Amino acid sequence: MKTQRVPEATINRLSVYSRFLERLDEKGIITVSSNEIAEGVGVSPPQVRKDLAYFGEFGTRGVGYNVQDLMRYTLKILGLNVPWPLLLVGAGNLGYALSTYRGFNSRGFSVVGVFDNDLNKIGRKVGDLDVYPPEKMPDIINKHKVRIGIIAVPPKSAQDVADLMVKNRLHAILNFAPVSLNVPEHIVYRNVDLSVNLEILTFNLGIRDS
Amino acid sequence: MKTQRVPEATINRLSVYSRFLERLDEKGIITVSSNEIAEGVGVSPPQVRKDLAYFGEFGTRGVGYNVQDLMRYTLKILGLNVPWPLLLVGAGNLGYALSTYRGFNSRGFSVVGVFDNDLNKIGRKVGDLDVYPPEKMPDIINKHKVRIGIIAVPPKSAQDVADLMVKNRLHAILNFAPVSLNVPEHIVYRNVDLSVNLEILTFNLGIRDS
DNA sequence: TAGATTGTTAATCGATTAACAATC
DNA sequence: TAGATTGTTAATCGATTAACAATC
């Protein structure tokens, strides 16, 4: 693997490629060209080759790419060659939905601990997981070697949860609360604002209308 | 409003600016400079000015921007000066979470109809909404003038749901199923793959580790 | 007027794509 | 070898930023 600044869009597309390759593999297809991948996922063929070239030479000139091999390479690049235990804070509706989300499980992610500070929720079940109080966090993190925490609490408590995750030495945080948080430089952080996605739609509808 | 190709990143940032301005307004702050906005949301000051310049001249040289005015302008640009009724298909966990998601309601979005073809779910309640069978879609769409549909069903049924939404003349679709869908050119379409967000984290953790 | 901050142009930076040599 | 397709370089395109004239 070369070390060169990889555009985030490339990572995004690698994720899409890997899913497409999984589908091809299920269909028993052995070889695929950059043209076919490009066609299948809606990008240009040089884009596909360039994206892969950041990480190595995976194809055979004149032939194409071996589907299974390339699938494994792309998953490896994304870090998906190993399982990822997740810690989830917030046992509300969103937390419940995320803990059972198919798109996570099919990629090797699994929620191993659900936390909430609401006494009414602690001790209850979310799927087949118990809801724990925040004090239990170190135990679960150690037991499952958790590195990633997901925040699915209301906006006001989100910063506190992030602080707690940092204190408990998690390495990465995915925040679903519609608020931006302050985390130290060394934490890999990402905010998923579901509403922004809708707002991009309403903006585009506005453009179409005028 | 000028017509010029606006980068999607700009729309994204406008959404962030508008939230920041709401916070300033709540605090009773009257005037704000591009420097303060930039500082507050983590972008460069010329970026803020450039983003706004796509849509008009909203500030006063030597002074800055009026917080309330700019807040209203940005919301208007995003199409958020009017309420947006939403139609949601999929009465599972994710559907339930989305129908009560705070981040939606605070921006003028409200789910007005929940649909599912699972006979066990039809007739039940999701929050204070009834779950309807797909046949009821035209009624709800007409009654509430719905333009946007949200897909929160498992991957296999997602394409069918999209087709049904297109047939029922919705204008925009937000897809939460982890699968890419085919929709006609005239539909404003967007896929939210929650898993990709986690994969960008795992990629970055991999980079840090090496 | 002096100081401040916008709006905009020009320069820079980075990502995508076209083109083609390498090579199976 | 002829045909095909990769990997990579150079050209293009687009977005961000630096700089500054306009102007409150």
Side-chain angles (χ1 to χ4, degrees):
Chain A
M1 282 197 198
K2 288 174 212 149
T3 358
Q4 191 187 347
R5 220 208 147 285
V6 181
E8 185 169 295
T10 288
I11 308 306
N12 239 301
R13 285 189 296 263
L14 282 175
S15 170
V16 177
Y17 302 156
S18 74
R19 273 179 211 274
F20 180 68
L21 291 163
E22 282 176 342
R23 289 216 305 280
L24 294 186
D25 186 39
E26 279 164 24
K27 287 187 200 157
I29 293 166
I30 306 296
T31 304
V32 67
S33 68
S34 59
N35 256 288
E36 291 162 329
I37 298 174
E39 164 81 7
V41 307
V43 305
S44 72
Q47 183 70 273
V48 173
R49 298 201 294 277
K50 180 79 185 180
D51 285 338
L52 296 171
Y54 283 108
F55 302 99
E57 306 193 0
F58 306 118
T60 307
R61 292 166 195 230
V63 177
Y65 303 89
N66 177 285
V67 171
Q68 282 204 354
D69 287 350
L70 190 59
M71 180 184 78
R72 287 188 194 120
Y73 284 130
T74 50
L75 289 173
K76 177 107 189 284
I77 292 164
L78 295 167
L80 301 181
N81 55 326
V82 293
W84 286 95
L86 305 174
L87 186 152
L88 175 69
V89 179
N93 296 325
L94 184 61
Y96 195 89
L98 293 175
S99 72
T100 58
Y101 186 62
R102 297 286 225 66
F104 287 168
N105 299 326
S106 69
R107 304 289 273 181
F109 297 107
S110 62
V111 175
V112 297
V114 180
F115 296 82
D116 208 299
N117 58 13
D118 180 343
L119 293 175
N120 292 319
K121 285 176 184 154
I122 294 167
R124 290 225 187 142
K125 290 262 182 187
V126 164
D128 43 25
L129 293 165
D130 293 303
V131 178
Y132 296 117
E135 304 86 71
K136 262 281 221 176
M137 231 185 247
D139 284 3
I140 300 288
I141 291 173
N142 287 330
K143 187 174 162 196
H144 292 93
K145 305 266 181 287
V146 185
R147 301 178 66 193
I148 302 177
I150 299 180
I151 298 178
V153 300
K156 317 132 195 176
S157 16
Q159 183 65 58
D160 289 345
V161 172
D163 293 344
L164 185 64
M165 286 177 169
V166 172
K167 208 177 119 205
N168 279 297
R169 304 199 179 288
L170 288 180
H171 301 181
I173 294 176
L174 190 64
N175 173 31
F176 281 92
V179 63
S180 64
L181 303 180
N182 293 109
V183 294
E185 199 58 41
H186 68 276
I187 301 285
V188 178
Y189 172 79
R190 204 171 162 81
N191 184 357
V192 183
D193 189 334
L194 301 177
S195 181
V196 170
N197 288 285
L198 271 176
E199 291 169 27
I200 291 170
L201 293 192
T202 57
F203 171 80
N204 283 316
L205 285 174
I207 298 285
R208 301 255 165 137
D209 293 346
S210 60
Chain B
M1 281 195 200
K2 287 175 214 149
T3 358
Q4 191 188 347
R5 221 208 145 286
V6 180
E8 185 169 297
T10 289
I11 309 306
N12 238 301
R13 286 189 298 262
L14 282 175
S15 171
V16 177
Y17 303 156
S18 74
R19 273 178 210 274
F20 179 68
L21 292 163
E22 282 176 343
R23 289 216 305 281
L24 294 186
D25 186 39
E26 279 164 23
K27 288 187 200 158
I29 292 166
I30 305 297
T31 304
V32 67
S33 69
S34 60
N35 256 287
E36 291 162 328
I37 298 174
E39 164 81 8
V41 307
V43 303
S44 71
Q47 183 70 274
V48 173
R49 298 201 295 276
K50 181 77 185 181
D51 285 339
L52 296 171
Y54 283 109
F55 302 99
E57 305 194 0
F58 305 117
T60 308
R61 291 168 196 228
V63 177
Y65 303 89
N66 177 284
V67 170
Q68 283 205 353
D69 288 349
L70 190 59
M71 179 184 79
R72 287 188 194 119
Y73 283 129
T74 51
L75 288 172
K76 177 106 188 284
I77 292 164
L78 294 167
L80 301 181
N81 55 326
V82 293
W84 286 95
L86 305 174
L87 186 153
L88 174 71
V89 178
N93 295 326
L94 185 61
Y96 195 88
L98 293 175
S99 72
T100 57
Y101 186 62
R102 297 289 224 63
F104 287 168
N105 298 326
S106 69
R107 302 290 273 181
F109 298 108
S110 63
V111 175
V112 298
V114 179
F115 296 82
D116 207 300
N117 57 13
D118 180 344
L119 294 175
N120 292 320
K121 286 176 183 155
I122 293 167
R124 289 222 187 144
K125 291 263 182 185
V126 164
D128 43 26
L129 293 165
D130 293 303
V131 178
Y132 296 118
E135 304 85 72
K136 262 284 224 174
M137 230 185 248
D139 284 3
I140 300 289
I141 291 172
N142 286 331
K143 187 175 162 197
H144 292 94
K145 305 266 180 289
V146 184
R147 301 178 66 192
I148 301 177
I150 298 180
I151 299 179
V153 300
K156 318 130 193 178
S157 17
Q159 183 66 58
D160 289 344
V161 172
D163 293 345
L164 185 64
M165 285 177 169
V166 172
K167 207 177 120 206
N168 279 296
R169 303 198 180 289
L170 287 180
H171 301 180
I173 294 176
L174 190 64
N175 173 31
F176 281 91
V179 62
S180 65
L181 304 179
N182 293 108
V183 294
E185 198 60 41
H186 67 277
I187 302 285
V188 178
Y189 172 79
R190 204 171 162 81
N191 184 357
V192 183
D193 189 333
L194 300 177
S195 181
V196 170
N197 288 285
L198 270 177
E199 291 169 27
I200 291 170
L201 292 192
T202 57
F203 171 81
N204 284 316
L205 285 174
I207 298 285
R208 301 253 167 138
D209 292 346
S210 61

